[in-house]
Amino acid sequence: MATALAATLLAVVPATRAEAAPVLLSQGKPVTASSEENYGTPAASAVDGDATTRWSSAASDPQWIRVDLGATTKLSQVVLDWEAAYGKGYRVELSANGSDWSTAYQTTNGDGGTDTLNISGEARYVRVNGTERGTQYGFSLWEFKVYGESGGTDGPQLPGGGDLGPNVHVFDPSTPNIQAKLDQVFDEQEAAHFGNGRHQFLFKPGTYNNLNAEIGFYTSISGLGLKPDDTTINGDVTVDAGWFNGNATQNFWRSAENLAINPVSGTNRWAVSQAASFRRMHVKGGLNLAPSGYGWASGGYIADSKVDGEVGNYSQQQWYTRDSAIGGWSNSVWNQTFSGVEGAPANSFPEPRYTTLQTTPISREKPFLYLDGNTYKVFVPEKRTNARGVSWNGTPQGTSIGLDKFYVVKEGATAATINQALSQGLNLLFTPGIYHVDQTINVNRANTVVLGLGLATIIPGGGVTAMKVADVDGVKLAGFLIDAGTVNSPTLLEVGPQNSSGDHAANPTTVQDVYVRIGGAGAGKATTSIAVHSDDVIIDHTWVWRADHGEGVGWETNRADYGVRVYGDDVLATGLFVEHFNKYDVEWYGERGRTIFYQNEKAYDAPNQAAIQNGDTKGYAAYRVDDSVDVHEGWAMGSYCNYNVDSTIRQDHGFKAPVKPGVKFHSLLVVSLGGMGHYNHVINNTGASTVPAGTTTVPSTLVSFP
């Protein structure tokens, strides 16, 4: 009967994707030109996805720029974004071999601006051949974009699908010694704070008895059903803090997803802090978020989950729960936040410190791997508006993508191979491991899924940006860690190039359980960790962390000035954790931005007041909204300071924003941890100082601003 029901359920779920949109093929590809005007305007700047850099030629006719797409591909469009020095006469030419050319478009009446040219033909090489300049200067392009079908019609093609590698452990109810394997991995990972091990446990649908899955660092556990109740563990999925003497504040980088649990004692323990998601879970009992002994804890995040009993918050300093159902909640400490949660406590900030929104404005749950019979697929849930409660009551709504449409990335894969897979139209499934990349991973196709298992970790070399996403619809980034390299990267993750302007409201890009780390595992540097230029992006649970402990840690050793910088409009962050940056942790330039739950600690290791002096302002705000912004809103936002090198340091404020009718904040707080430094105000010049609290770690709160 259960098998028949599952088959019926799967039958009504969409199993195919809509026709793919044209793919941006040219970004980051090899490019040459007839000339360069001067140093700083190379040909590569026309295909870098950055609308503020350009190629310009010598001031003579003719001139050309040529991009190599890597394989012969069916083309559909060329977009030329001219600088003021435009081409009045030019041809767009195609070639399969780089020597024999055909004309796909030509004009003698170009007028500059942006030329969007619909073309047809197949080519590996595309050339813009300028025959007449429109000004006295050379030809100059901000961007040269070529679109077409993914993949090529010649050369070796990378296969989709395949096995999941040695660090993915797949069980069914008949698998022998499951507990022994769980214990073995936990013994390796319990205290492997900055280790190299990466593991994913996958449980096929069915019932598993008498298990205690203790989850250590860089370990994920997931069910392979379409719904959590398809896979039931009569036992526990446990995180505790014995390795750290009962202190759970460093229980990072792990996850549990898509399972039902019947806890042995009636209550499951999940004592975590940042970067530890609890998604799409059904706890048939209570959930305890504190370590045994009820020591310190600094979490955390729950989404799309049902907890039949009470969630015991206990010592958790802050927590965000989204689109879930709970039987109750205990204790508030500093900042407990709920959006779209059935059974959540009423909004009561500042005492108890509950901030409750009845719905989440926009959400789309994280993609996940599941089994359709014996076939692996990735399910991509659909977008929800004003969501409340779990997404999996009834038939899950979304799209299934077969694993054969994914390049299964394994340790040793190069960035060039990964980019080739993307250019073929494949999605990416990173298996658990560490990936060193010497060039940017370019995600240029709409609706691409990039999914990591077991906290797969990407480390850029040579100062490159680890990953860039084009300004396209519906990209899903989920479940991986980006670790800064030893050479400073200007950015580690970019969503959209600068000056992106596409409307993605109907199908936004999502960034979910994507974490960034600078230092800790070793020296690393990045000027900005995440830059969001596209509109309508949803950032759903991220921890962006400049390390305050571990290897390669010091004020200049792991220098990182900015955590998250948002330039796109209508960007929504649900569960934003950003900590310890040398300057601003978050800066927001886009209009109509919204953040639901923000957790921050200022950089512990500032050597003195002068090191963080910001003009006439003492310290850089934890979250700054630019003065140009007219509309912005934030809920449940906290910043903590622990200046343990110089406890006399003062922050003028935790938050900075323009005073305008459209800029609003709710439930703000700042905390001095043990009196190690203090805040003079909560936001701008509003809100009480933490100085009177002394060393008591009593927050200064502000119900609303202005």
Side-chain angles (χ1 to χ4, degrees):
M1 180 174 163
T3 302
L5 179 60
T8 301
L9 180 63
L10 289 169
V12 298
V13 176
T16 58
R17 293 176 293 172
E19 285 297 313
V23 180
L24 175 59
L25 302 171
S26 52
Q27 188 165 306
K29 294 297 175 65
V31 62
T32 54
S34 55
S35 65
E36 179 183 335
E37 178 187 14
N38 52 47
Y39 179 78
T41 58
S45 293
V47 295
D48 62 359
D50 185 343
T52 66
T53 62
R54 63 189 176 95
W55 163 71
S56 60
S57 75
S60 62
D61 300 327
Q63 302 289 339
W64 54 264
I65 182 171
R66 184 188 78 174
V67 63
D68 177 1
L69 303 178
T72 298
T73 304
K74 187 175 181 179
L75 306 179
S76 59
Q77 191 177 83
V78 169
V79 177
L80 304 177
D81 185 7
W82 295 102
E83 194 251 354
Y86 64 95
K88 182 178 179 182
Y90 64 87
R91 297 189 300 270
V92 175
E93 300 173 330
L94 310 180
S95 174
N97 56 19
S99 57
D100 300 314
W101 297 91
S102 63
T103 299
Y105 174 86
Q106 64 180 342
T107 183
T108 57
N109 296 304
D111 57 0
T114 299
D115 292 339
T116 300
L117 312 171
N118 294 321
I119 63 170
S120 62
E122 294 188 358
R124 172 173 174 170
Y125 301 91
V126 181
R127 183 170 68 182
V128 178
N129 198 342
T131 56
E132 182 182 358
R133 290 166 292 141
T135 71
Q136 62 182 316
Y137 304 104
F139 297 87
S140 183
L141 284 166
W142 293 112
E143 285 294 298
F144 169 24
K145 298 179 180 180
V146 180
Y147 293 85
E149 292 186 1
S150 57
T153 58
D154 63 359
Q157 298 290 290
L158 294 169
D163 71 273
L164 300 177
N167 295 329
V168 176
H169 314 286
V170 183
F171 306 124
D172 65 45
S174 66
T175 302
N177 302 317
I178 296 175
Q179 187 65 56
K181 186 62 179 181
L182 294 170
D183 292 345
Q184 175 201 329
V185 171
F186 180 67
D187 288 345
E188 296 171 4
Q189 299 300 117
E190 178 186 12
H193 201 163
F194 297 106
N196 293 326
R198 303 288 187 272
H199 294 272
Q200 175 77 54
F201 295 122
L202 296 175
F203 285 76
K204 294 182 180 181
T207 300
Y208 300 79
N209 295 315
N210 305 313
L211 293 181
N212 180 22
E214 296 183 276
I215 306 301
F217 283 100
Y218 314 108
T219 304
S220 299
I221 183 170
S222 306
L224 284 171
L226 193 60
K227 300 173 69 171
D229 289 336
D230 294 340
T231 310
T232 298
I233 292 178
N234 290 320
D236 296 88
V237 175
T238 303
V239 178
D240 206 342
W243 75 278
F244 200 45
N245 301 315
N247 180 344
T249 59
Q250 293 184 17
N251 281 350
F252 311 141
W253 303 307
R254 62 200 77 198
S255 68
E257 300 184 38
N258 204 32
L259 291 164
I261 310 170
N262 275 310
V264 170
S265 68
T267 299
N268 188 76
R269 186 182 303 279
W270 185 256
V272 299
S273 288
Q274 290 84 356
S277 63
F278 196 81
R279 287 184 182 269
R280 206 177 181 85
M281 297 287 287
H282 184 188
V283 181
K284 298 180 178 181
L287 185 64
N288 185 336
L289 302 180
S292 56
Y294 300 92
W296 292 345
S298 183
Y301 178 86
I302 293 172
D304 201 26
S305 294
K306 183 179 181 182
V307 180
D308 293 347
E310 182 178 79
V311 179
N313 182 71
Y314 302 109
S315 56
Q316 279 288 356
Q317 294 165 349
Q318 69 279 315
W319 199 278
Y320 175 50
T321 306
R322 178 183 63 71
D323 298 357
S324 295
I326 60 176
W329 191 277
S330 73
N331 206 18
S332 68
V333 192
W334 293 342
N335 185 11
Q336 313 302 317
T337 308
F338 311 85
S339 69
V341 178
E342 298 170 351
N347 186 74
S348 57
F349 192 90
E351 288 296 342
R353 295 191 180 97
Y354 296 140
T355 303
T356 301
L357 288 73
Q358 292 302 303
T359 61
T360 303
I362 305 168
S363 58
R364 182 171 60 207
E365 300 306 329
K366 178 183 173 184
F368 61 92
L369 194 67
Y370 79 104
L371 275 174
D372 181 356
N374 294 317
T375 302
Y376 282 113
K377 294 182 178 180
V378 171
F379 190 76
V380 181
E382 70 176 23
K383 186 188 78 168
R384 297 204 291 168
T385 302
N386 296 322
R388 182 172 173 81
V390 300
S391 71
W392 40 270
N393 279 337
T395 302
Q397 300 298 302
T399 302
S400 289
I401 307 173
L403 195 63
D404 61 335
K405 302 298 184 184
F406 283 79
Y407 176 59
V408 179
V409 192
K410 298 175 183 173
E411 281 192 301
T414 65
T417 300
I418 294 168
N419 279 327
Q420 180 186 345
L422 288 167
S423 70
Q424 286 179 205
L426 293 172
N427 303 286
L428 300 179
L429 181 72
F430 281 90
T431 63
I434 296 176
Y435 300 87
H436 294 270
V437 297
D438 59 359
Q439 59 181 263
T440 299
I441 298 171
N442 290 303
V443 183
N444 294 329
R445 176 175 54 85
N447 300 311
T448 301
V449 177
V450 180
L451 178 62
L453 300 179
L455 278 296
T457 302
I458 301 169
I459 305 176
V464 303
T465 297
M467 186 177 294
K468 292 184 179 181
V469 179
D471 189 32
V472 295
D473 274 356
V475 171
K476 294 94 181 171
L477 309 181
F480 57 89
L481 169 65
I482 298 175
D483 219 344
T486 55
V487 178
N488 185 76
S489 293
T491 54
L492 292 172
L493 172 63
E494 292 186 20
V495 182
Q498 293 184 29
N499 301 315
S500 293
S501 58
D503 181 356
H504 310 295
N507 185 12
T509 286
T510 49
V511 181
Q512 301 178 285
D513 298 350
V514 173
Y515 311 123
V516 174
R517 180 172 67 191
I518 300 96
K525 294 185 177 182
T527 303
T528 299
S529 290
I530 298 178
V532 178
H533 296 281
S534 287
D535 295 345
D536 308 297
V537 173
I538 300 172
I539 304 170
D540 178 42
H541 189 226
T542 186
W543 186 37
V544 183
W545 185 58
R546 176 182 168 265
D548 62 288
H549 60 271
E551 297 295 324
V553 172
W555 185 247
E556 296 295 341
T557 305
N558 61 329
R559 181 84 193 187
D561 284 350
Y562 308 104
V564 176
R565 303 175 102 176
V566 178
Y567 302 90
D569 294 336
D570 302 294
V571 173
L572 171 66
T574 52
L576 186 60
F577 299 72
V578 188
E579 296 186 310
H580 306 308
F581 285 84
N582 294 78
K583 292 185 178 179
Y584 293 113
D585 299 277
V586 171
E587 286 191 290
W588 211 292
Y589 296 88
E591 285 290 353
R592 297 176 298 281
R594 291 176 289 185
T595 295
I596 303 173
F597 183 88
Y598 175 65
Q599 188 265 327
N600 166 263
E601 291 179 355
K602 294 302 300 174
Y604 290 177
D605 57 342
N608 48 50
Q609 187 74 52
I612 61 164
Q613 192 66 21
N614 181 15
D616 295 332
T617 303
K618 293 179 180 178
Y620 291 83
Y623 187 107
R624 183 183 82 87
V625 179
D626 192 70
D627 287 344
S628 64
V629 173
D630 292 322
V631 178
H632 188 91
E633 195 160 9
W635 294 263
M637 307 176 73
S639 177
Y640 320 150
C641 73
N642 180 33
Y643 288 116
N644 57 24
V645 176
D646 181 357
S647 63
T648 68
I649 290 176
R650 296 291 181 268
Q651 284 272 141
D652 272 345
H653 41 240
F655 302 89
K656 177 72 169 64
V659 180
K660 297 179 180 179
V663 178
K664 303 173 183 178
F665 289 89
H666 317 272
S667 303
L668 294 172
L669 64 93
V670 292
V671 185
S672 169
L673 302 181
M676 303 299 286
H678 280 285
Y679 297 89
N680 293 333
H681 301 284
V682 178
I683 181 169
N684 297 354
N685 295 319
T686 301
S689 171
T690 61
V691 171
T695 62
T696 62
T697 63
V698 174
S700 174
T701 61
L702 193 64
V703 174
S704 62
F705 177 86

Coordinates of all heavy atoms in Angstrom, one line a residue, residues 4 11 127 151 154 245 414 424 467 489 517 531-532 568 601-602 637:
A4 N 2.5 1.7 -3.4 CA 1.5 2.2 -4.3 C 1.2 3.7 -4.1 O 1.2 4.5 -5.1 CB 0.2 1.4 -4.2
A11 N 4.0 10.2 -9.5 CA 3.4 10.3 -10.8 C 2.8 11.7 -11.1 O 2.8 12.1 -12.2 CB 2.3 9.3 -11.0
R127 N 33.1 36.9 -34.0 CA 33.9 38.1 -34.1 C 33.1 39.3 -34.4 O 32.2 39.2 -35.3 CB 35.0 37.9 -35.2 CG 35.9 39.0 -35.4 CD 37.1 38.7 -36.3 NE 36.6 38.5 -37.7 CZ 37.4 38.1 -38.7 NH1 38.7 37.9 -38.5 NH2 36.9 38.0 -40.0
G151 N 26.0 23.7 -24.6 CA 26.8 22.6 -25.2 C 27.3 22.9 -26.6 O 27.0 23.9 -27.1
D154 N 30.6 19.7 -31.4 CA 31.8 19.0 -31.7 C 32.6 18.9 -30.4 O 32.4 19.5 -29.4 CB 32.6 19.6 -32.9 CG 33.1 21.0 -32.5 OD1 32.8 21.5 -31.4 OD2 33.8 21.6 -33.4
N245 N 33.9 20.8 25.7 CA 33.6 20.9 27.1 C 32.2 21.5 27.3 O 32.0 22.3 28.2 CB 34.6 21.8 27.8 CG 36.0 21.2 27.7 OD1 36.2 20.0 27.9 ND2 37.0 22.0 27.3
T414 N 38.8 20.1 -12.3 CA 39.3 21.5 -12.5 C 38.2 22.4 -12.8 O 37.1 22.0 -13.2 CB 40.3 21.5 -13.7 OG1 39.6 21.2 -14.9 CG2 41.5 20.5 -13.5
Q424 N 27.9 23.1 -21.4 CA 27.1 22.0 -22.1 C 25.6 22.0 -21.7 O 24.8 21.3 -22.3 CB 27.6 20.6 -21.8 CG 28.9 20.3 -22.5 CD 29.4 18.9 -22.1 OE1 30.6 18.7 -22.1 NE2 28.6 18.0 -21.6
M467 N 33.1 32.0 -7.8 CA 31.9 31.8 -8.6 C 31.2 33.1 -9.0 O 31.1 34.0 -8.1 CB 31.0 30.8 -7.8 CG 29.8 30.4 -8.7 SD 28.7 29.2 -7.8 CE 29.8 27.8 -7.6
S489 N 41.2 37.8 -3.1 CA 40.2 37.8 -4.1 C 39.4 39.1 -4.0 O 39.0 39.4 -2.8 CB 39.3 36.6 -4.0 OG 40.0 35.4 -4.3
R517 N 34.0 31.6 4.2 CA 35.0 31.6 5.3 C 36.3 32.2 4.9 O 36.8 31.9 3.8 CB 35.2 30.2 5.8 CG 36.2 30.1 7.0 CD 36.2 28.6 7.5 NE 36.8 27.7 6.6 CZ 36.7 26.4 6.7 NH1 36.1 25.8 7.8 NH2 37.3 25.6 5.8
A531 N 28.9 39.6 -3.3 CA 28.4 40.8 -3.9 C 27.1 40.4 -4.7 O 27.2 39.5 -5.6 CB 29.4 41.5 -4.8
V532 N 26.0 41.0 -4.4 CA 24.7 40.7 -5.1 C 24.3 41.9 -6.0 O 24.0 43.0 -5.4 CB 23.6 40.4 -4.1 CG1 22.3 40.1 -4.8 CG2 24.0 39.2 -3.2
G568 N 21.6 45.0 -5.9 CA 20.4 44.7 -6.6 C 19.2 45.2 -5.9 O 19.2 45.4 -4.7
E601 N 28.6 39.6 14.8 CA 29.6 40.0 15.8 C 30.7 40.9 15.1 O 31.1 40.5 14.0 CB 30.3 38.8 16.4 CG 29.4 38.0 17.3 CD 30.1 36.7 17.9 OE1 31.2 36.5 17.5 OE2 29.4 36.0 18.7
K602 N 31.0 42.0 15.7 CA 32.1 42.8 15.2 C 33.5 42.1 15.3 O 33.6 41.1 16.1 CB 32.1 44.2 15.8 CG 30.9 45.0 15.5 CD 30.7 45.3 14.1 CE 31.9 46.0 13.4 NZ 31.7 46.1 11.9
M637 N 17.3 42.1 14.3 CA 18.6 42.3 13.9 C 19.5 42.6 15.1 O 19.2 43.5 15.9 CB 18.7 43.4 12.8 CG 17.8 43.2 11.7 SD 17.7 44.5 10.5 CE 19.3 44.2 9.7

